[in-house]
Amino acid sequence: MSVGRTHYAAELNEQMVGQTVTVAGWVHRRRDHGGLVFVDLRDRTGLVQIVSEPGQPGFDAVERVRAEYVMGVTGTVRPRPDGMVNADLASGAVEIVPESVTVYSEAKTPPFNVGDASQVDELLRLKYRYLDLRRPELTANLMLRDRSLMAIRRFFHEHGFLDVETPSLARSTPEGARDFLVPSRTQPGQFFALPQSPQIFKQLLMVAGIDRYYQIAKVFRDEDLRADRQPEFTQIDVETSFMDRESILSLMEEMLRSLFHEVLGVTLEPFPRMTWRDAMRLYGSDKPDLRAGPPLATLTEAARTLPWTVLSEAANVVGVVMPSYQPSRKELDQWVETAKSLGANGLVWIVRSDDGTMRSSASKWLGEDGMGRLAEAAGVKPGDTLLMVAGAGWAPNQVAGQIRLTHARESGRIEPGWRFLWVTEFPLFEWSEEEGRLTSAHHPFTMPHPEDIDRLASDPASVRSEAYDVVLNGTELASGSLRIYQQDLQARIFAVLGLSDEEIQAKFGFLLDAFQYGAPPHGGIAFGLDRLLMLMAGAESIRDVIAFPKTARGTDPLMNAPSPVDDAQLRDVHLSIRK
RNA sequence: GGUCCCGUCGGUUAGUGGCCUAAGCCGCCGCGUUGUCAGCGCGGAGAUCAGGGGUUCGAAUCCCCUCGGGACCGCCA
């Protein structure tokens, strides 16, 4: 039995007519006309049609195969008869007449049809992931991933970046996500942690003088899952020395631009910049989706002189303008419920009909004049609807932002396109209810904004940082910052965080020690590769661009992981299971 | 930790208190078919209705619990 292949299915076309070729793959479909039998043979590139008649070599084998049998066919490429060309296939102009056929493997009837599994329950697909991955859609996603990684690596290589691997067995660090722990056998009672990111290592590489580092790094976070979150995922991790923020941002933008051009053939517009404050004010989110209709309207000033204290005395009044939208009373009631479920006290609506007349849930308090002033301030045109949320702080923006997104999604008003943006000037600290103190919004090595450094002690909550995110279509794709490299500034940050010298030494001592031996100015960023690929592939979930993903509860139905282990294994690592 | 949705032949759907001895399509098995490509025609097999408990004369259907899957909030990136 010879094993081999001369061509992939998609490589066969009119140019090859008359040649003898060998193809190999899985039986996608078989169509038996009694005398004449067709088999669609599938490999990772696509399908090619095999045709055989009684008495010809290999007919018995072709007649006997079933779905997902593995076979090799050596035969002659011939053009299909007139009118029989299948334009849906790359090889649709030709077919193969076998000279010899080898059935390598038979196959049980698969639990779902590989040819059409789009509706199949995902749990079943994950359990038989090797079958699921045979589906052209998922094969295409894996190929997209491969091409993207090649393009990314080439970009960084050509720009002088060194790919350096960092350990997966690392140390538990206090800030950020919950760690996955690995018990040490040789050091009883002690644990490694799988890295949440190579953050410390890449900063140490800067101290080491590597200067430009990148890594396609697997990282681990033991938090609850989402459609765009897996417990292990892949980062494009980047760190540079002696580059200012502007240079880092434009280089990373160039990386994405070259990736999209090379892999998708798309030319990206320059990414707009938006401060975190503006993102919150205009979109109620630190990851605005620019495709979802007009930004939010701040109506606090316009409401100030209204004869209705609910709006006039509110610290913050925010409006969502819904263009060309005339909701029913029932829909309006649903928006009120939605706002309440998002934590708002209520929601005021103004509907402006096509003839310009207005009605409102608060018309008797606002009057024609009040409705007119609010509509004017929000830019409401005839035919539009305005929903308003009042409150304090960013809460009304966040509620209004959610409503804006929900409405755009439900009414199919998400505009097409790749709407990237940079969000900058994130707050340096955020208040942790859980811990009752300020914590680092990004991580404790994030550089404060130079204009705000003198407020570190007096008003730390107002201090902006040199942190930045890349957002694409409402998804956070990357996050990074300039890092602190001066010891005195770092000490002031730790003071705000309320960390004692002992804690600092215990948690970050090794990094601070390193910084005493000459730390360059440095900064970096990390991209969520899986999210990026999900968006590039047009997939609904990150799971569709990962070969072997976990379920929403963090299990692997294919390997049945996690699983119990033997007592002996537990003893080796000095653990016992608490009952 | 919380909220919501879902679980019926191998797959996917129908069924919302008696007409269910659970229906259709795909797949599977058999027979037929020489130009199909979601092949076609005829016939057949295939379901403890996720599991347990309850209500009822009667439960796939109503209620409760458990298990499993998914989305979201919290958390996290």
Side-chain angles (χ1 to χ4, degrees):
Chain A
M1 192 195 298
S2 69
V3 177
R5 153 193 283 147
T6 62
H7 293 79
Y8 280 110
E11 294 171 339
L12 300 174
N13 55 42
E14 298 101 313
Q15 262 79 56
M16 333 271 317
V17 165
Q19 290 189 33
T20 298
V21 299
T22 301
V23 293
W26 284 260
V27 174
H28 190 69
R29 281 204 176 80
R30 177 176 147 279
R31 293 177 291 281
D32 184 348
H33 291 251
L36 186 69
V37 178
F38 299 100
V39 166
D40 290 337
L41 192 69
R42 181 186 64 240
D43 60 33
R44 74 182 209 203
T45 67
L47 304 178
V48 63
Q49 176 165 283
I50 313 296
V51 58
S52 187
E53 296 179 26
Q56 292 181 336
F59 178 79
D60 291 348
V62 168
E63 197 180 36
R64 160 174 99 80
V65 296
R66 295 291 183 271
E68 306 308 322
Y69 279 32
V70 186
M71 65 193 294
V73 176
T74 299
T76 312
V77 180
R78 80 172 181 202
R80 296 195 185 188
D82 286 347
M84 299 300 163
V85 168
N86 184 345
D88 295 334
L89 299 184
S91 67
V94 297
E95 58 195 7
I96 296 176
V97 182
E99 283 151 23
S100 74
V101 173
T102 308
V103 177
Y104 295 120
S105 289
E106 301 187 350
K108 288 170 69 175
T109 300
F112 56 84
N113 182 359
V114 172
D116 179 24
S118 51
Q119 301 298 311
V120 177
D121 182 69
E122 197 177 354
L123 179 63
L124 193 70
R125 289 172 38 202
L126 288 176
K127 187 171 175 188
Y128 296 93
R129 189 63 167 177
Y130 42 89
L131 297 181
D132 201 22
L133 290 171
R134 289 181 191 169
R135 293 167 50 218
E137 296 92 331
L138 285 198
T139 305
N141 287 350
L142 293 184
M143 296 197 304
L144 174 82
R145 190 169 183 125
D146 169 69
R147 290 202 313 277
S148 300
L149 281 168
M150 287 302 289
I152 291 162
R153 288 189 182 284
R154 189 177 312 117
F155 180 90
F156 282 111
H157 178 75
E158 285 171 358
H159 286 78
F161 284 75
L162 246 55
D163 178 353
V164 182
E165 292 177 88
T166 55
S168 287
L169 295 175
R171 184 197 157 89
S172 181
T173 50
E175 310 283 316
R178 193 177 296 116
D179 287 318
F180 277 100
L181 296 177
V182 179
S184 166
R185 178 181 58 82
T186 51
Q187 305 293 320
Q190 302 199 45
F191 293 81
F192 293 104
L194 303 181
Q196 301 171 25
S197 86
Q199 183 63 38
I200 305 278
F201 291 115
K202 68 178 177 177
Q203 291 194 243
L204 291 173
L205 287 172
M206 293 304 104
V207 177
I210 296 306
D211 198 273
R212 290 187 165 206
Y213 144 92
Y214 87 102
Q215 182 183 194
I216 310 295
K218 223 17 160 11
V219 300
F220 307 85
R221 295 177 188 178
D222 190 6
E223 299 290 349
D224 288 346
L225 284 67
R226 289 285 189 282
D228 63 354
R229 267 160 46 181
Q230 283 273 304
E232 57 178 306
F233 64 102
T234 304
Q235 286 187 338
I236 309 166
D237 195 45
V238 182
E239 195 78 8
T240 71
S241 297
F242 309 113
M243 281 179 77
D244 61 18
R245 187 183 75 170
E246 220 33 57
S247 309
I248 294 174
L249 263 51
S250 70
L251 187 62
M252 292 304 105
E253 196 172 319
E254 197 185 328
M255 188 275 288
L256 288 170
R257 191 167 291 112
S258 77
L259 170 67
F260 270 66
H261 188 261
E262 182 167 335
V263 175
L264 297 180
V266 169
T267 302
L268 298 177
E269 300 292 316
F271 301 180
R273 303 282 179 89
M274 192 179 295
T275 63
W276 178 86
R277 268 191 83 80
D278 280 346
M280 294 304 291
R281 183 170 60 83
L282 296 170
Y283 298 95
S285 166
D286 59 6
K287 43 180 180 178
D289 191 339
L290 302 179
R291 305 169 303 163
L296 306 176
T298 301
L299 302 171
T300 317
E301 285 311 310
R304 196 67 72 207
T305 56
L306 292 174
W308 189 37
T309 55
V310 169
L311 293 188
S312 66
E313 293 182 2
N316 189 10
V317 181
V318 178
V320 188
V321 179
M322 300 167 164
S324 304
Y325 177 59
Q326 294 286 300
S328 65
R329 181 61 202 231
K330 188 181 169 194
E331 287 174 284
L332 288 164
D333 288 344
Q334 280 167 356
W335 283 123
V336 175
E337 285 312 305
T338 301
K340 284 180 179 169
S341 73
L342 291 168
N345 289 325
L347 179 140
V348 181
W349 49 262
I350 295 177
V351 178
R352 189 170 183 194
S353 60
D354 290 321
D355 64 15
T357 59
M358 282 183 276
R359 59 199 171 90
S360 169
S361 51
S363 52
K364 80 170 119 171
W365 297 288
L366 294 174
E368 288 295 323
D369 180 55
M371 289 191 288
R373 263 188 282 165
L374 289 167
E376 168 80 24
V380 173
K381 297 183 183 64
D384 295 353
T385 290
L386 171 66
L387 307 185
M388 288 171 288
V389 183
W394 295 118
N397 302 71
Q398 289 169 318
V399 172
Q402 270 303 315
I403 288 174
R404 170 181 174 270
L405 276 181
T406 302
H407 175 247
R409 287 190 190 125
E410 284 179 352
S411 60
R413 294 181 184 201
I414 302 279
E415 300 154 24
W418 303 103
R419 302 295 297 276
F420 280 91
L421 80 153
W422 285 104
V423 178
T424 62
E425 298 183 17
F426 280 78
L428 188 61
F429 304 106
E430 61 192 9
W431 182 257
S432 168
E433 291 293 340
E434 200 177 318
E435 300 182 49
R437 64 176 181 99
L438 288 177
T439 57
S440 293
H442 191 53
H443 58 62
F445 314 111
T446 306
M447 180 77 84
H449 196 288
E451 292 169 13
D452 297 355
I453 285 180
D454 52 13
R455 292 202 307 276
L456 269 177
S458 58
D459 186 13
S462 77
V463 174
R464 294 166 296 168
S465 71
E466 291 274 31
Y468 35 80
D469 279 6
V470 177
V471 175
L472 169 56
N473 294 349
T475 296
E476 181 191 323
L477 270 194
S479 194
S481 66
L482 303 185
R483 328 296 186 188
I484 297 168
Y485 60 95
Q486 309 97 321
Q487 294 174 53
D488 55 338
L489 181 56
Q490 186 68 65
R492 291 165 67 190
I493 301 291
F494 284 141
V496 175
L497 293 172
L499 297 178
S500 69
D501 288 347
E502 293 74 29
E503 283 175 301
I504 295 164
Q505 205 50 44
K507 291 174 175 175
F508 309 111
F510 49 98
L511 183 65
L512 299 179
D513 286 350
F515 278 12
Q516 293 177 20
Y517 293 94
H522 61 288
I525 194 165
F527 292 83
L529 176 70
D530 312 281
R531 282 185 184 176
L532 177 60
L533 292 169
M534 172 181 84
L535 295 174
M536 290 173 73
E540 294 284 309
S541 161
I542 202 178
R543 295 187 292 271
D544 289 342
V545 297
I546 296 173
F548 298 101
K550 309 259 185 305
T551 65
R553 292 199 189 181
T555 66
D556 174 357
L558 174 56
M559 298 195 78
N560 270 323
S563 67
V565 296
D566 292 344
D567 284 344
Q569 283 179 283
L570 286 175
R571 260 198 310 279
D572 275 348
V573 294
H574 319 285
L575 290 183
S576 65
I577 301 298
R578 200 186 224 168
K579 291 286 188 278

